[in-house]
């Protein structure tokens, strides 16, 4: 008897015809198994016609849902054996990825790293191509990732080779040579205050960008400043390269301020991208606000709401009055060089060793020690070119009013000047860190978010 899986050529009752028996088709439904065969007869001329043959039906004592079990030229037992076979399992593919693509020219200086998948990193080396010097890095405790220990340089070519081992012992090696984003296609914001410092209550967060920022909203929205005091803060743009952020009123003494920069990859101008990504925290110290009265040539130092000390001063002369308004100490120098030609006063003075100097404005206003003036002018007459002078000695080593005030001051402390002869001459908000001279409504109007 011919196998039903084969196409069988056989004679028919009509000598003019021959037939081919086609493969069987088996259907199982509700325990009934039906198998049918169909023969196709061909005339001698090659034309085909169907020949009907009785189908045979086998009833099995099975109960099951309708299913098509086979429609092939393979025997039933082969189908059953195939269905019963267990699936083959393979180990996950081991991979090592370097974030900076090989040949790329705008790689991040912060986010470059190596990550492994289904593998353990065994070795990672990185170097500068121009010098050949190695770049130190840190491996994660599970040896699944690696990153440089320090920020990379802009516009610099680097190479990374990373090796990993898969679960089956196979070794995976990846290599990438790339160049970080160039100086010309990136921007950086220099900011103050620095991380970990303690500052006075008047210290704003101030950014100066090295490129003009045209998408101010994009940049400002990726800088967040929060205080443990819960004070509301707002930013204000002074032109296209400076952003200051402060609360409505002075910071609460003892509070902690956190600044988060997420500028890496942010487009600040067409084709110009940020590269900074860091968190900075600083502490606000005690409250110290000093008031200078030009009528009496005295400075009253108020600490935490109480008068701490009164000091005689010599402010600006009638010809060169000191600015009125609130001024924030932005820098401190135990000794500095002051040359009148650099601030528009020609050759009127040139002191190379001015002691106990603290900057109040970008234009050159300081509160500083004065060892060259007659001691009688302090507390009685304004004699300076606009600075606030305190009695001192050359070298600044003695116990003088200037030294005392220097030692008891922080960057961020506020000095408020009033009754200067020229009442219209008030410090501009962008001349130094002096945004406190702008009302809150005007300040918030200068925000881009």
């Amino acid at each position: 008897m011919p196998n039903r899986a084969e196409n069988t050529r056989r004679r028919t009752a009509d000598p003019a015809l021959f037939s081919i028996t086609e493969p069987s088709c088996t259907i199982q439904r509700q325990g009934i198994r039906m198998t049918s065969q169909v023969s196709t007869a061909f005339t001698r001329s090659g034309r085909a016609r169907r020949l009907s043959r009785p189908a045979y039906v086998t009833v099995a004592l099975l109960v099951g849902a309708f299913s098509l079990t086979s429609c092939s030229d393979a025997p039933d037992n082969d189908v059953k054996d195939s269905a019963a076979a267990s699936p083959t399992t393979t180990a996950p593919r081991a991979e090592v990825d370097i974030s900076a693509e090989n040949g790329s020219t705008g790689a991040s200086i912060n986010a470059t790293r190596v990550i492994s998948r289904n593998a353990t990193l065994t070795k990672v080396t990185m170097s500068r191509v121009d010098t050949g010097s190695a770049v130190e890095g840190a491996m994660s405790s599970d040896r699944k990732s690696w990153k440089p220990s320090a920020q990379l340089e802009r516009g610099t070519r680097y190479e990374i080779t990373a090796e990993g081992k898969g679960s089956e012992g196979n070794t995976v090696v990846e290599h990438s040579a790339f160049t970080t984003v160039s100086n010309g296609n990136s921007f950086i914001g220099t900011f103050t205050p620095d991380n970990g410092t303690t500052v006075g209550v008047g210290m704003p967060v101030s950014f100066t960008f090295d490129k003009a920022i045209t998408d101010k909203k994009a940049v400002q929205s990726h800088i967040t400043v929060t205080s443990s005091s819960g004070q509301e803060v707002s930013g204000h743009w002074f032109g296209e390269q400076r952003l200051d952020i402060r609360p409505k009123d002075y910071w609460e003494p003892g509070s902690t301020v956190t600044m988060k920069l997420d500028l890496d990859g942010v487009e600040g101008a067409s084709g110009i991208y940020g590269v900074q990504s860091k968190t900075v925290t600083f502490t606000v110290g005690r409250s110290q606000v000093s008031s200078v009265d030009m009528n009496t040539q005295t400075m009253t130092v108020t600490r935490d709401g109480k008068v701490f000390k009164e000091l005689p001063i010599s402010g600006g002369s009638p010809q060169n009055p000191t600015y009125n308004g609130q001024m924030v100490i932005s820098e401190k120098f135990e000794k500095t060089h002051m040359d009148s030609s650099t601030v528009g006063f020609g050759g009127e003075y040139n002191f190379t060793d001015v002691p106990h100097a603290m900057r109040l404005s970008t234009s050159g206003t300081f509160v500083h020690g004065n060892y060259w003036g007659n001691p009688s002018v302090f507390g009685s007459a304004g004699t300076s070119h606009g600075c606030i002078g305190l009695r001192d000695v050359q070298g600044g080593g003695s116990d003088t009013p200037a030294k005392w005030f220097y030692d008891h001051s922080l960057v961020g402390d506020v000095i408020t000047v009033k009754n200067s002869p020229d009442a219209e001459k008030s410090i501009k908000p962008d001349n130094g860190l002096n945004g406190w001279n702008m009302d809150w409504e005007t300040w918030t109007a200068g925000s881009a978010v």
Side-chain angles (χ1 to χ4, degrees):
M1 183 175 180
N3 190 320
R4 64 180 176 178
E6 297 177 352
N7 290 338
T8 305
R9 178 172 178 150
R10 56 182 294 181
R11 291 280 181 180
T12 68
D14 186 342
L17 303 174
F18 65 89
S19 68
I20 292 180
T21 303
E22 297 179 353
S24 64
C25 202
T26 304
I27 297 176
Q28 184 168 307
R29 181 181 182 184
Q30 296 289 1
I32 300 175
R33 180 176 174 182
M34 298 179 289
T35 305
S36 66
Q37 287 182 323
V38 179
S39 293
T40 304
F42 294 85
T43 66
R44 290 298 179 186
S45 64
R47 298 179 65 184
R49 66 172 180 163
R50 293 286 179 181
L51 297 178
S52 60
R53 292 188 56 179
Y56 64 90
V57 180
T58 303
V59 179
L61 298 177
L62 300 171
V63 177
F66 178 90
S67 63
L68 177 65
T69 60
S70 71
C71 189
S72 69
D73 56 2
D76 287 348
N77 61 335
D78 290 344
V79 175
K80 292 177 183 177
D81 291 345
S82 176
S86 300
T88 302
T89 59
T90 58
R93 180 184 176 185
E95 297 180 357
V96 172
D97 293 331
I98 300 173
S99 62
E101 293 185 6
N102 188 41
S104 61
T105 57
S108 170
I109 64 173
N110 298 294
T112 298
R113 54 200 9 72
V114 178
I115 297 174
S116 67
R117 294 180 180 85
N118 306 314
T120 299
L121 291 174
T122 55
K123 183 180 180 181
V124 178
T125 58
M126 182 175 184
S127 63
R128 284 184 58 147
V129 173
D130 57 350
T131 64
S133 58
V135 176
E136 298 298 322
M139 184 79 74
S140 63
S141 58
D142 61 0
R143 303 192 72 83
K144 297 292 185 182
S145 64
W146 179 96
K147 64 180 180 179
S149 299
Q151 187 181 70
L152 303 180
E153 297 293 332
R154 289 190 285 177
T156 303
R157 187 167 174 79
Y158 293 92
E159 284 186 332
I160 296 179
T161 300
E163 299 179 12
K165 183 171 288 188
S167 58
E168 295 186 341
N170 54 311
T171 299
V172 183
V173 180
E174 194 69 32
H175 176 81
S176 180
F178 58 91
T179 303
T180 53
V181 62
S182 68
N183 289 355
N185 292 328
S186 61
F187 70 88
I188 281 182
T190 303
F191 59 85
T192 189
D194 292 332
N195 185 51
T197 55
T198 298
V199 300
V201 295
M203 188 68 184
V205 175
S206 183
F207 287 88
T208 301
F209 298 102
D210 64 352
K211 303 280 194 313
I213 303 299
T214 56
D215 194 343
K216 296 177 180 178
K217 182 176 181 180
V219 171
Q220 188 177 338
S221 62
H222 284 83
I223 301 172
T224 59
V225 177
T226 57
S227 173
S228 61
S229 66
Q231 290 173 272
E232 176 189 1
V233 301
S234 179
H236 185 95
W237 286 87
F238 295 106
E240 295 184 330
Q241 292 183 245
R242 177 176 166 186
L243 171 65
D244 283 11
I245 302 171
R246 68 168 177 88
K248 181 178 181 180
D249 300 310
Y250 299 147
W251 297 109
E252 289 290 334
S255 59
T256 299
V257 180
T258 301
M259 173 182 64
K260 292 184 178 181
L261 297 178
D262 188 22
L263 293 172
D264 197 10
V266 174
E267 190 171 18
S270 179
I272 307 297
Y273 297 89
V275 295
Q276 292 167 291
S277 180
K278 62 173 59 181
T279 298
V280 172
T281 300
F282 60 91
T283 302
V284 180
R286 75 291 176 274
S287 171
Q288 181 166 299
V289 179
S290 301
S291 177
V292 173
D293 188 341
M294 288 299 170
N295 283 341
T296 61
Q297 295 291 309
T298 58
M299 178 166 65
T300 302
V301 181
T302 300
R303 171 88 55 96
D304 294 325
K306 298 179 180 180
V307 174
F308 192 35
K309 196 174 185 69
E310 288 192 354
L311 299 169
I313 62 100
S314 179
S317 67
Q319 296 76 27
N320 301 297
T322 304
Y323 288 118
N324 284 307
Q326 302 171 79
M327 290 181 276
V328 174
I329 297 174
S330 59
E331 293 179 286
K332 293 180 66 178
F333 306 95
E334 289 190 355
K335 184 173 67 173
T336 193
H337 182 190
M338 291 188 177
D339 182 354
S340 61
S341 65
T342 64
V343 289
F345 287 108
E348 296 189 28
Y349 62 84
N350 186 8
F351 297 103
T352 60
D353 59 350
V354 178
H356 302 126
M358 294 180 280
R359 182 182 290 277
L360 301 178
S361 77
T362 308
S363 61
T365 307
F366 281 78
V367 54
H368 60 79
N370 180 337
Y371 63 81
W372 54 88
N374 191 310
S376 64
V377 302
F378 299 102
S380 62
T383 58
S384 78
H385 288 77
C387 290
I388 300 169
L390 293 161
R391 183 175 59 81
D392 211 338
V393 295
Q394 191 166 15
S398 299
D399 184 13
T400 61
K403 185 178 186 306
W404 182 94
F405 187 64
Y406 183 91
D407 290 344
H408 289 82
S409 295
L410 294 173
V411 167
D413 283 349
V414 181
I415 297 176
T416 300
V417 177
K418 62 181 181 179
N419 296 323
S420 192
D422 187 352
E424 299 299 320
K425 190 175 182 180
S426 295
I427 190 76
K428 300 294 184 183
D430 61 343
N431 187 2
L433 303 178
N434 298 320
W436 302 106
N437 295 284
M438 185 182 291
D439 63 81
W440 186 241
E441 183 178 357
T442 305
W443 180 267
T444 56
S447 174
V449 296

